[in-house]
Amino acid sequence: MNIHEYQGKELLKKYGVAIQEGIVVDSADKVVEASKELREQTGTDWIVVKAQIHAGGRGKGTVVGTDYNGVMLGKSPEDAAEKAKQLLGNVLVTHQTGEEGKKVNKVLLAQDVYYKGESEIKEFYVAVLLDRDKNCNVIMASREGGMDIEEVAESNPDAIIKEWIDPKLGLQPFQAQKVAFALGLKGKALKEMTKFIKSLYAAYIGIDASQVEINPAFKTSDDRVLAVDSKIDLDDNAFYRHKDLAALRDESEESPLEVEASQFGLNYVKLDGNVGCMVNGAGLAMATMDMIKLAGGEPANFLDVGGGASAETVEKGFRIILKDPNVKAILINIFGGIVRCDRVANGVVEAYKNIGKIDVPIIVRLQGTNAEEGAEIIKGSGLNVISATVLKEAADRVKEVLAN
Ligand code: GDP
Ligand code: MN
């Protein structure tokens, strides 16, 4: 689960990571007062106005229909309020949001840490994440901070420093220092960066994150190292021991259909295509999506109704698929193991009865336990259903209905 920059910074601070301080607000009316408070707390003159959305690239993004971007400098509390007004309630498009952009509901007013007139600005990239190939955590760092790290990885992979952490030993102090040294730091800055990396790693472990990315980690002219940005991905499987972290969820950042699906315990991911699919088992769901693509369609979603799906869950899943206006056909692909095909068929028919009119064609492939009973139920329901036996055939039917 992703969280906002301001939430991430608050968590990091608890673990001793030095941050660019700020105050978050949800309305332009509060900006002048909050900016004055920030000036008092931090001694800052200018105020950095930062859109809070679950996407990066804000500094280079644009507010739809304007020349404003997602990170701006307010030279006075009034100027900050003017800039916040351009963000709040409006849509920000960045290279990570897709062209539909994201609505800004909150802005972070942050202290300006880039001292004016400074010739040497030092932005670093520092992240901790899980290396799935090496089965351990890795610290990644680069002197090319402030830039898109994927770009750096492509054009100049040697510029990325990696330090792998033995899961039994944890981060050893010398490793943090080694990374800081490799970043070219000396003296006080080296010590500060070493401390920064140690605290960042402690935070990563403490909050059960799957990724903590600081871009930029900023070295001030007096050699302190601060987190100017934070991108944190929390592992929701660990929420049973972090009730406070689960509460950081911002549902307005998520696709409404995904939020609804999660309430029913469905594994649903919204995609951009036109073929809705309902499958049991994640592996079969992936294979089904591949078949849809091979047949020339694009999956509208990933949906795994799970091994123990009841008629009710199937109905819920079916309704969610139908709420997506892009869906032009639905492919139901069930292999009856623990879940019986007749149950799935009942779920589909129930949903159909309760929803009333369904315009899109439905291709159904039921195999395994009680497949024949399932087929009978669907045949007798009056649904506009096309049956298929093998997966390839189902995909071909999808192709045909899309062509019509
Ligand atoms: P992102 O574009 O979404 O990654 O947002 P960041 O938080 O990384 O900020 C983007 C850019 O804003 C930074 O790379 C800086 O150039 C600029 N910026 C952020 N904080 C400050 C600050 O305190 N002072 C100044 N002058 N610029 C800042
Ligand atoms: Mn950034």
Side-chain angles (χ1 to χ4, degrees), residues 29-49:
D29 299 339
K30 297 176 185 160
V31 175
V32 170
E33 202 181 324
S35 298
K36 287 179 180 162
E37 195 183 325
L38 187 69
R39 274 183 164 179
E40 252 167 56
Q41 280 174 13
T42 64
T44 190
D45 180 17
W46 291 359
I47 294 120
V48 192
V49 183

Side-chain angles (χ1 to χ4, degrees), residues 20 48 50 57-59 71 111-114 123 215-216 228-229:
Q20 173 196 42
V48 192
K50 310 183 80 178
R58 295 162 301 165
V71 180
Q111 69 177 141
D112 177 18
V113 293
Y114 291 49
E123 292 182 322
N215 191 18
V228 160
D229 193 2

